[in-house]
Amino acid sequence: MSRLFGRPIYKSEVTPLILMALLEDVIEQQASAVFILCCDESFEYHPRFDEILMSQSMAVFGGIFPNIIVNNQIQDKGILVIPVFERVEVTVISKLSLLESSDYQPSLSITNADSFMVLVDGFTSNIDLALSQLLHQLGADSSVFGGGVGSLSLQQKPCLFTQQGVVLDAMVVIAFAQSWQLAVGHGWEVFAGPFLATKVNGNRIEQLNFQPASDIYRQVTGQLTINEEQFFSEVRSYPFGIERLDDDFLVRSPIAMLGAHLICLGSIPENTLVYILHGNAKLLIEAAVSSVDNTVAEQKLEAAVLFDCVSRYHFLQDQYSEELTGIQQYVGDDALFFGALVFGEIASGCSGSIHFYNKTAVTALLK
């Protein structure tokens, strides 16, 4: 039986000439598509990248991430290209921020597809709306996984590799004929709450329990003097959690504070009960690794793709290698293991719903 992925090729530098050479190598292997993962630190946008991508006859998908996972190690520089030998169907949903209606139905190429990878601009709006509409088209039995791409500068810029060039404000849906299994774990536990989100605007929490959201958050976490400039680096260990009837907490990561308001990755419904969560390195690592152990169940794997939250990596720091080593143990040495650190993780849940997680490890496993 043929394999889905070919030999990954990694280069520590990223230029238009290097990208062109890498794609030529993939073409020589007679691949039908290419998956590109690139580190933001190494990428400086140039129109030549668009020209190269638009000239490809094979399908192109991928993104620019804070870090990528290569040979069981975190890289903060470079580019990884992976030949794809089986046919995949790629759909680009453009101008995501302009979606205004829940009646929107994306036009997807999903012939004979069982599983779907979704890559999205992590700093655009309407991600949850777009995912809910995908669910209507894909069905509750589909396996959906992926993550939000972007830069640690938290500035929105071109970040998705497609045959239309390097684009922003978009979602890319890749349909696979193969069946993927998902391992999802986060390890966060309740620290305080619940609190009623009494005033919310999309991904902006304005009030908790009818009080300014930032006041409640600072009091509960003990970060009384934290300011807007310090916020992202200082609150990594205190995310929000939305309790669900059919699954574990849906974690929401606050990434910025604007006056009395807290800005999260992903939306929070108004009048929802939310908790403030907390965790330690041991719990986070165990959750990610055990989710893979429980899902693999002694199956022989061809590949494993990890989409892990960038803030988990910064929280774990030197201990993050323990998470990768633990996952590799259950994936097996014969399987291809790679991935990326992302801004929000995408995975279908127990009920079939497609969730936009934060601070969570999502590992997609291919038998």
Side-chain angles (χ1 to χ4, degrees), residues 23-329:
L23 294 178
E24 288 174 352
D25 191 327
V26 171
I27 292 169
E28 287 179 2
Q29 297 184 50
Q30 298 183 324
S32 61
V34 61
F35 185 10
I36 306 172
L37 300 94
C38 181
C39 292
D40 173 64
E41 186 175 328
S42 300
F43 185 83
E44 183 176 349
Y45 174 77
H46 187 281
R48 184 70 180 123
F49 284 111
D50 293 335
E51 297 171 12
I52 293 168
L53 295 172
M54 294 170 69
S55 68
Q56 300 303 311
S57 57
M58 61 181 171
V60 175
F61 60 95
I64 298 166
F65 304 91
N67 303 80
I68 60 177
I69 300 167
V70 184
N71 295 327
N72 203 28
Q73 294 184 332
I74 285 289
Q75 300 288 348
D76 57 11
K77 295 179 181 179
I79 186 169
L80 182 71
V81 300
I82 301 169
V84 182
F85 293 118
E86 298 292 324
R87 183 172 178 267
V88 297
E89 296 174 289
V90 180
T91 301
V92 180
I93 303 170
S94 303
K95 299 180 180 178
L96 217 60
S97 63
L98 300 183
L99 300 185
E100 295 180 352
S101 171
S102 59
D103 295 329
Y104 166 76
Q105 292 289 333
S107 177
L108 298 176
S109 298
I110 55 175
T111 308
N112 299 320
D114 284 336
S115 300
F116 301 84
M117 181 189 296
V118 178
L119 302 174
V120 64
D121 181 342
F123 297 107
T124 192
S125 55
N126 294 322
I127 294 175
D128 291 286
L129 171 60
L131 290 176
S132 68
Q133 295 312 304
L134 280 180
L135 176 63
H136 293 314
Q137 289 199 261
L138 305 183
D141 294 332
S142 298
S143 178
V144 183
F145 60 94
V149 307
S151 167
L152 269 179
S153 69
L154 306 185
Q155 300 298 313
Q156 188 181 31
K157 53 186 180 180
C159 55
L160 289 160
F161 292 107
T162 73
Q163 281 181 287
Q164 300 173 15
V166 189
V167 301
L168 51 67
D169 192 18
M171 176 179 285
V172 180
V173 182
I174 304 97
F176 295 96
Q178 295 77 11
S179 296
W180 292 73
Q181 295 175 290
L182 305 185
V184 181
H186 60 73
W188 301 98
E189 296 186 328
V190 172
F191 179 76
F195 304 93
L196 186 63
T198 45
K199 190 173 183 182
V200 172
N201 183 7
N203 66 336
R204 181 189 300 251
I205 306 176
E206 299 182 1
Q207 290 184 356
L208 292 171
N209 292 351
F210 300 98
Q211 299 180 54
S214 62
D215 289 353
I216 294 289
Y217 188 81
R218 284 188 288 196
Q219 291 168 12
V220 170
T221 62
Q223 303 282 350
L224 298 178
T225 61
I226 195 169
N227 57 39
E228 294 179 8
E229 289 73 26
Q230 300 169 315
F231 190 82
F232 182 70
S233 61
E234 295 296 327
V235 300
R236 290 189 290 259
S237 59
Y238 293 99
F240 289 106
I242 304 172
E243 193 170 22
R244 296 174 296 177
L245 296 177
D246 64 336
D247 210 342
D248 196 1
F249 283 107
L250 179 64
V251 184
R252 281 285 175 261
S253 178
I255 59 170
M257 180 173 67
L258 297 177
H261 303 165
L262 300 175
I263 310 301
C264 295
L265 272 175
S267 62
I268 294 181
E270 194 163 79
N271 294 320
T272 296
L273 288 175
V274 299
Y275 295 80
I276 294 177
L277 309 179
H278 190 52
N280 59 51
K282 184 174 183 290
L283 288 174
L284 268 65
I285 293 168
E286 285 182 351
V289 174
S290 63
S291 70
V292 175
D293 179 19
N294 295 335
T295 306
V296 170
E298 299 184 356
Q299 300 174 90
K300 186 174 178 59
L301 299 180
E302 174 188 332
V305 183
L306 173 62
F307 291 100
D308 206 351
C309 181
V310 64
S311 66
R312 283 172 61 91
Y313 168 62
H314 287 281
F315 177 70
L316 293 173
Q317 298 183 8
D318 292 342
Q319 291 177 274
Y320 187 75
S321 61
E322 297 177 27
E323 180 173 311
L324 293 182
T325 301
I327 292 174
Q328 177 75 69
Q329 172 187 348

